[in-house]
Amino acid sequence: GGNTNNSVINLSSIPVGQSPGAVAVAGNYAYVVNTNDNDMQIFNISDPANVVQVGSNIPTGSGPWGVAVSGNYAYVINYNASTLQIFNIADPTNVTQVGSDIATDSGPNGVAVSGNYVYVVNYDASTLQVFDVSNPANVTQVGSNMPIGSEPWGATIAGNYLYVTETGADQMQIFNIADPTNVTQVGSNVTTGTESTGVAVGGNYAYAITDASDIGIFDVSNLTHVTQVGTVPITNNYGG
């Protein structure tokens, strides 16, 4: 074995806007949406000890709560406005919106992207929507709004699967998105704990934040039989 270092070192702290709602990282850049300021900021993180903002704050819709990045585009969901926006980020110093705002169901709260498709979960409506973004200037919804668990919050994609955590239902659902026109749930609802919010997946494990101030760790190597394998306490949770 080698040495194990369990210490986390804070290399830098960077001021952002009011109530940052989400962050996405792609390459040398981090994209932050500020919910109360209705804008997005881009930071060059190539040197983690010297992070600098690139360009100016970019106006979004009202209440941006989630952001996902793929290729030359950033996808922003606005909770208050119930919209999805697409931004061309090929030149981080000159970011422009592509096309018009796209209406979502009520209260979009989580967004994930895979290939030519964007997946949006709507907190107020408790639905999942799929959008074809192959032409960002002419986005179309694929299929109809899909009812899911109560108050979905977090959404992340690993391979052909979409993982969604649901605050109102205290659970996680996993969906097969291999065919975006026919999204289906895999296995049963997975109990996560009180008010599950953020979710991340790495290898055979899913990590779900709960309002009980912990992270639940789940073995997802068999998606039809997901089991919890541990819990890690954290500080007070809000979001994820």
Side-chain angles (χ1 to χ4, degrees):
N3 296 326
T4 299
N5 185 346
N6 292 323
S7 300
V8 176
I9 301 171
N10 182 3
L11 294 177
S12 57
S13 296
I14 305 98
V16 295
Q18 294 254 346
S19 297
V23 59
V25 174
N28 289 327
Y29 297 95
Y31 304 79
V32 177
V33 289
N34 301 302
T35 305
N36 287 357
D37 284 344
N38 301 325
D39 63 23
M40 176 171 65
Q41 294 174 286
I42 303 175
F43 297 91
N44 187 321
I45 57 171
S46 55
D47 179 1
N50 184 32
V51 174
V52 293
Q53 184 173 352
V54 180
S56 305
N57 294 12
I58 302 136
T60 65
S62 178
W65 194 258
V67 57
V69 174
S70 179
N72 288 329
Y73 298 98
Y75 304 88
V76 175
I77 48 169
N78 302 297
Y79 179 87
N80 296 337
S82 293
T83 56
L84 166 68
Q85 294 176 297
I86 303 175
F87 294 90
N88 187 322
I89 55 172
D91 178 359
T93 65
N94 185 30
V95 174
T96 55
Q97 184 175 352
V98 181
S100 304
D101 294 2
I102 301 128
T104 66
D105 213 344
S106 180
N109 212 48
V111 60
V113 57
S114 178
N116 289 326
Y117 297 91
V118 168
Y119 300 81
V120 174
V121 295
N122 301 291
Y123 181 89
D124 292 344
S126 296
T127 56
L128 165 65
Q129 293 175 288
V130 183
F131 295 92
D132 183 337
V133 294
S134 54
N135 180 358
N138 184 28
V139 173
T140 57
Q141 184 173 347
V142 178
S144 54
N145 300 353
M146 180 179 179
I148 57 176
S150 175
E151 299 176 347
W153 189 293
T156 193
I157 292 171
N160 287 327
Y161 298 96
L162 171 71
Y163 298 75
V164 177
T165 43
E166 296 153 357
T167 305
D170 300 336
Q171 68 184 20
M172 174 172 66
Q173 291 182 290
I174 303 170
F175 299 91
N176 187 324
I177 58 170
D179 178 1
T181 66
N182 184 31
V183 174
T184 56
Q185 184 175 353
V186 180
S188 304
N189 300 344
V190 180
T191 300
T192 54
T194 306
E195 296 188 1
S196 183
T197 55
V199 60
V201 177
N204 288 328
Y205 297 95
Y207 305 84
I209 301 174
T210 76
D211 207 40
S213 299
D214 61 33
I215 300 175
I217 305 172
F218 298 85
D219 185 335
V220 293
S221 57
N222 179 356
L223 293 177
T224 62
H225 185 65
V226 174
T227 55
Q228 185 166 357
V229 295
T231 302
V232 179
I234 57 174
T235 56
N236 291 338
N237 158 52
Y238 183 75

